[in-house]
Amino acid sequence: MKGVSALRAWAMLGFCFVSFSAMAQKTLTPVTVTAPAYTSHHGGYLISGDFKTDPRIPSVVFPSQALVKDDVLSVEPVHLADTDYLVVQECATADCATASIVRVWNADGAKTAVRNSDNRIQIQHENKYWIWVKHLPEAFSAGCDNCGEHYSSFEPFSPPMVLIPSGQLAAMNKDELQAARTEEPVQIESQTHEGSTFVVTYDGGTIVRIRRMHADHIDKSEH
């Protein structure tokens, strides 16, 4: 896709960056998990905050172990800056050249398909998933009574780390959005573990709490 500076994909626990202009590729070494797992047990689930960032990819959060079918990914935006959009994406093709939207939040809450909870995602299949934040320019909505102040619909498929608003509000702000498309995602300012929860703070003040819930078959077999 023209106008996008970089394409990011994953190989094993590493990432792969492809420049759209030169289509040159370089592979980062796999990320090694060195910290102990931050886990707890509740309701038949092993709850884990074992997520990772990498200084070479300073805007992405990803699970240290692959998410698999029937896992529950909990992503809770404690505070979302007014023009920040929290995104969960997954690979949509084998080479991860195309990604699909799993969920997007704006300052008003979750804005894509939700089943039972705004902040819990039932994983349907094992895949590569990642979490990031995109800053979009303030939306100009004068003359559109039903548009609201934030983008609330998005193209379901795009390159990884690209968020493309759709609908009337996006059409009214197409030039500003096109200019913002090449800008890097919001960088992570700090990260910490609070028990079995991974807490990430982004530049600009957005704070997100992340957990993975995995069926605890070991506990079940002992009872």
Side-chain angles (χ1 to χ4, degrees):
M1 179 178 294
K2 295 181 180 179
V4 181
S5 61
L7 171 65
R8 295 159 174 84
W10 281 256
M12 301 293 290
L13 290 179
F15 293 81
C16 187
F17 281 48
V18 180
S19 167
F20 285 139
S21 59
M23 294 305 290
Q25 180 171 300
K26 59 182 180 180
T27 303
L28 299 178
T29 56
V31 176
T32 301
V33 180
T34 56
Y38 297 84
T39 60
S40 62
H41 295 82
H42 181 75
Y45 281 94
L46 177 68
I47 302 173
S48 173
D50 196 11
F51 290 80
K52 287 291 173 183
T53 63
D54 190 285
R56 295 163 296 185
I57 314 161
S59 56
V60 180
V61 175
F62 55 95
S64 299
Q65 299 182 32
L67 298 174
V68 299
K69 180 176 170 57
D70 296 330
D71 278 355
V72 176
L73 176 62
S74 174
V75 181
E76 179 185 358
V78 178
H79 169 72
L80 200 55
D82 190 58
T83 52
D84 279 358
Y85 293 75
L86 174 63
V87 186
V88 178
Q89 278 182 314
E90 64 172 319
C91 292
T93 55
D95 63 357
C96 211
T98 302
S100 64
I101 293 293
V102 178
R103 191 162 297 174
V104 178
W105 294 257
N106 65 22
D108 300 321
K111 293 302 169 184
T112 49
V114 173
R115 290 190 175 185
N116 300 317
S117 168
D118 282 5
N119 300 328
R120 291 188 177 186
I121 300 168
Q122 186 81 36
I123 300 301
Q124 303 299 311
H125 47 257
E126 182 173 348
N127 202 354
K128 299 181 180 74
Y129 297 84
W130 58 97
I131 301 160
W132 56 289
V133 170
K134 176 67 176 178
H135 177 82
L136 293 176
E138 184 175 357
F140 176 78
S141 59
C144 180
D145 294 336
N146 299 317
C147 284
E149 297 180 354
H150 304 101
Y151 301 104
S152 58
S153 61
F154 308 89
E155 295 293 340
F157 298 98
S158 68
M161 310 297 291
V162 174
L163 180 67
I164 305 175
S166 60
Q168 185 175 1
L169 187 61
M172 294 175 63
N173 294 268
K174 62 179 181 179
D175 292 339
E176 292 80 4
L177 290 174
Q178 184 64 39
R181 193 174 298 182
T182 58
E183 296 176 359
E184 293 294 323
V186 181
Q187 292 198 5
I188 293 167
E189 180 181 281
S190 65
Q191 60 190 50
T192 188
H193 285 92
E194 294 181 1
S196 57
T197 301
F198 188 60
V199 184
V200 186
T201 301
Y202 292 84
D203 289 348
T206 287
I207 302 172
V208 183
R209 297 170 61 86
I210 306 169
R211 299 190 299 173
R212 174 198 187 191
M213 289 171 276
H214 180 77
D216 190 354
H217 300 296
I218 294 177
D219 275 6
K220 289 181 179 181
S221 66
E222 292 176 349
H223 291 78

